[in-house]
C-alpha cells in the first residue's frame, strides 16, 4: 500500500496507513501540515497523560459464539470505525467488533482487504441482549446509519470493501432483514433505489487490534476523518435530522 503522507488519517505509529479513499478525502481538503502536527501532539499528549478514552466494550476483540442470553448481528456499512461508534450508543448492545466478512480468503489482513482482492467487506459484529433491544431495532438503526443508494461505496470510501450488506446469522434474521427492506422500499424519504444486499453470513474475521474501538483510542483523528468524509452530512440529506 502506498503511503499517503497524511498523518492524521493514519492509525497509530507502526500500523498500516488508511486505504487511499480515506487519505484522499483528507488531502482534498488541503489540510496544512502544521495543523496535522498540532493535532498529532494533542492526541499524543492525551495518551501520555493517560486521558485516552476506554471502550465500554474493550474486552470484545474476537468473534466468539454468543452466550445463551445474547444474540449476534452482522452489518457492513462502510468504514467499520464509524459503524462501531454508532452501535456502541444503542442500549442493549453489549459489544461491537470490527472485522471482515463475505470474502474468499481465510483470515484476511487489512492490507489484503483494502486492495479489493479478497472479496471481503468491512463489517461489525454486534453482540446484543435481545431482552433489551430487538434485531428489528438494530436493523432500523443500521439503515439510518448508512447510504443504501451507492454500490461499492460509502461516502468518501470506494471499492467493494465499503459495500453495504446485512449478513443474517440465521433464518429468522434473514426473514426480518427482508421484511425491513420491503418496508423501507415503501417508506424511504428519498427517490434513489436501495442497493444494499442481504446475505447469509459466512465466517467473520476480527480486524487487527488497532482498528478495534478506533474512535475511542484516536478521537481527534476519528472525528476529523468522519467529518472530512461527509458521512453525517450525507446521512442528514438522506434521512433528515436524527
Amino acid at each position: 500500500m502506498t503511503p499517503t503522507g497524511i498523518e492524521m488519517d493514519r492509525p497509530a505509529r507502526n500500523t498500516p496507513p488508511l486505504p487511499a479513499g480515506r487519505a484522499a478525502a483528507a488531502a482534498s481538503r488541503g489540510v496544512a501540515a502544521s495543523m496535522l502536527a498540532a493535532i498529532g501532539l494533542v492526541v499524543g499528549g492525551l495518551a501520555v497523560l493517560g486521558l485516552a478514552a476506554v471502550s465500554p466494550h474493550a474486552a470484545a476483540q474476537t468473534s466468539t459464539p454468543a452466550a445463551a442470553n445474547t444474540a449476534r448481528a452482522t452489518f457492513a456499512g462502510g468504514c467499520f470505525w464509524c459503524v462501531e461508534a454508532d452501535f456502541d450508543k444503542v442500549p442493549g448492545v453489549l459489544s461491537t467488533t470490527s472485522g471482515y466478512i463475505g470474502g474468499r480468503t481465510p483470515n484476511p489482513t487489512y492490507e489484503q482487504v483494502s486492495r479489493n482482492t479478497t472479496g471481503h467487506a468491512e463489517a461489525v459484529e454486534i453482540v446484543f441482549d435481545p431482552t433489551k433491544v430487538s434485531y428489528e431495532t438494530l436493523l432500523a438503526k443500521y439503515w439510518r446509519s448508512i447510504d443504501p443508494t451507492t454500490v461499492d461505496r460509502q461516502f468518501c470510501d470506494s471499492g467493494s470493501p465499503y459495500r453495504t450488506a446485512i449478513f443474517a446469522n440465521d433464518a429468522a434474521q434473514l426473514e426480518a432483514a427482508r421484511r425491513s427492506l420491503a418496508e423501507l422500499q415503501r417508506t424511504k424519504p428519498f427517490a434513489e433505489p436501495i442497493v444494499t444486499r442481504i446475505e447469509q453470513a459466512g465466517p467473520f474475521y476480527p480486524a487487527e487490534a488497532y482498528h478495534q474501538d478506533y474512535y475511542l483510542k484516536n478521537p481527534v483523528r476519528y472525528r476529523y476523518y468522519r467529518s472530512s468524509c461527509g458521512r453525517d452530512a450525507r446521512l442528514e440529506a438522506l434521512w433528515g435530522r436524527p
Side-chain angles (χ1 to χ4, degrees), residues 97-163:
T97 302
S98 288
Y100 315 112
I101 193 171
R104 302 172 298 274
T105 305
N107 299 304
T109 66
Y110 179 62
E111 292 88 343
Q112 290 173 318
V113 172
S114 63
R115 286 197 295 265
N116 300 346
T117 59
T118 71
H120 290 87
E122 286 195 11
V124 171
E125 183 179 79
I126 300 160
V127 176
F128 64 99
D129 182 345
T131 68
K132 296 182 179 179
V133 61
S134 67
Y135 184 66
E136 288 77 8
T137 297
L138 295 179
L139 286 169
K141 173 68 175 177
Y142 169 73
W143 287 120
R144 284 156 182 79
S145 67
I146 64 165
D147 179 350
T149 70
T150 55
V151 177
D152 290 347
R153 183 180 182 89
Q154 280 294 280
F155 316 104
C156 68
D157 295 320
S158 61
S160 63
Y162 303 105
R163 66 188 183 272

Side-chain angles (χ1 to χ4, degrees), residues 18 31 66 105 133 146 159-160 174 177 197-198 227:
L18 292 175
V31 181
T105 305
V133 61
I146 64 165
S160 63
L174 190 63
R197 299 179 61 178
I198 298 171
S227 175

Side-chain angles (χ1 to χ4, degrees), residues 13 46 184 187 209:
R13 186 180 300 174
L46 289 175
L184 192 62
T187 62

Side-chain angles (χ1 to χ4, degrees), residues 13-242:
R13 186 180 300 174
N14 296 325
T15 57
L18 292 175
R22 296 185 190 176
S28 66
R29 286 159 176 81
V31 181
S34 59
M35 181 180 294
L36 298 178
I39 293 176
L41 288 173
V42 171
V43 175
L46 289 175
V48 169
L49 292 172
L51 299 179
V54 177
S55 168
H57 309 315
Q61 300 304 330
T62 59
S63 179
T64 58
N69 60 339
T70 65
R72 287 179 295 148
T74 310
F75 300 137
C79 169
F80 45 25
W81 302 342
C82 299
V83 179
E84 263 200 8
D86 290 342
F87 278 93
D88 272 348
K89 299 179 180 71
V90 178
V93 168
L94 304 177
S95 70
T96 56
T97 302
S98 288
Y100 315 112
I101 193 171
R104 302 172 298 274
T105 305
N107 299 304
T109 66
Y110 179 62
E111 292 88 343
Q112 290 173 318
V113 172
S114 63
R115 286 197 295 265
N116 300 346
T117 59
T118 71
H120 290 87
E122 286 195 11
V124 171
E125 183 179 79
I126 300 160
V127 176
F128 64 99
D129 182 345
T131 68
K132 296 182 179 179
V133 61
S134 67
Y135 184 66
E136 288 77 8
T137 297
L138 295 179
L139 286 169
K141 173 68 175 177
Y142 169 73
W143 287 120
R144 284 156 182 79
S145 67
I146 64 165
D147 179 350
T149 70
T150 55
V151 177
D152 290 347
R153 183 180 182 89
Q154 280 294 280
F155 316 104
C156 68
D157 295 320
S158 61
S160 63
Y162 303 105
R163 66 188 183 272
T164 59
I166 297 168
F167 292 92
N169 289 290
D170 56 37
Q173 287 191 357
L174 190 63
E175 181 58 30
R178 288 171 175 166
R179 288 197 307 269
S180 177
L181 174 59
E183 177 65 12
L184 192 62
Q185 295 280 20
R186 187 181 68 82
T187 62
K188 61 186 172 71
F190 46 83
E192 300 98 316
I194 294 171
V195 298
T196 299
R197 299 179 61 178
I198 298 171
E199 306 177 23
Q200 194 72 48
F204 176 87
Y205 301 99
E208 294 81 349
Y210 68 86
H211 283 303
Q212 309 300 335
D213 296 315
Y214 187 88
Y215 76 103
L216 292 171
K217 297 172 182 174
N218 303 277
V220 176
R221 293 178 179 180
Y222 169 75
R223 286 195 297 269
Y224 175 75
Y225 160 72
R226 183 164 182 143
S227 175
S228 297
C229 226
R231 190 177 186 108
D232 293 320
R234 175 59 176 162
L235 291 178
E236 184 173 329
L238 281 170
W239 302 103
R241 288 185 177 275

